[in-house]
Amino acid sequence: MFSHIVVGSSDLQRSKTFYDALFAAIGGPEGMNAGTRVIYAHNGGRFMVATPVNGEPCSFANGGTIGFLMASAEQADAWHAAGIAAGGKTCEDPPGVRELGVSKLYLAYLRDPDGNKLCANYRMES
């Protein structure tokens, strides 16, 4: 359904350092610097960090979350730890299992240095 996701940044180098650490924790490549944006390609998806085209300050979505699929709970924990070490902040509940009716998920939440809310999502067997 999605072709790509883009989040804004007020400091592209700071964001690159943060997202490089997140993607390295899950076996992804370093971001490709493309001038006013950094591009990540991993597992068939595209994720970009960019300075706003209109020159206005970046802002994050209130109530918005970007989820990244994980291969295991351990990978989600490594992703979360890498994000904290690279300048992110934990948010929501601590990383762990959430039972949502028919599904059981292992989730870990972070805010990137610009405030964008991110989620590591491992879908556990029910």
Side-chain angles (χ1 to χ4, degrees), residues 18 20-27 70 72-86 95 106 108 110 120:
F18 176 82
D20 281 357
L22 286 187
F23 279 95
I26 60 172
M70 298 289 137
S72 66
E74 294 78 17
Q75 188 178 55
D77 285 339
W79 176 93
H80 188 264
I84 297 297
Y106 189 94
L110 288 171

Side-chain angles (χ1 to χ4, degrees), residues 22-112:
L22 286 187
F23 279 95
I26 60 172
E30 182 176 310
M32 180 182 73
N33 191 330
T36 60
R37 64 188 59 216
V38 178
I39 302 167
Y40 296 87
H42 185 58
N43 288 342
R46 299 282 185 275
F47 180 81
M48 291 173 256
V49 183
T51 55
V53 175
N54 65 2
E56 296 292 324
C58 76
S59 61
F60 55 90
N62 184 20
T65 303
I66 298 168
F68 293 89
L69 284 175
M70 298 289 137
S72 66
E74 294 78 17
Q75 188 178 55
D77 285 339
W79 176 93
H80 188 264
I84 297 297
K89 293 188 181 355
T90 194
C91 64
E92 298 283 331
D93 293 328
V97 177
R98 312 296 197 279
E99 304 234 9
L100 305 172
V102 296
S103 36
K104 189 173 178 181
L105 307 171
Y106 189 94
L107 304 175
Y109 289 92
L110 288 171
R111 289 216 181 256
D112 75 5

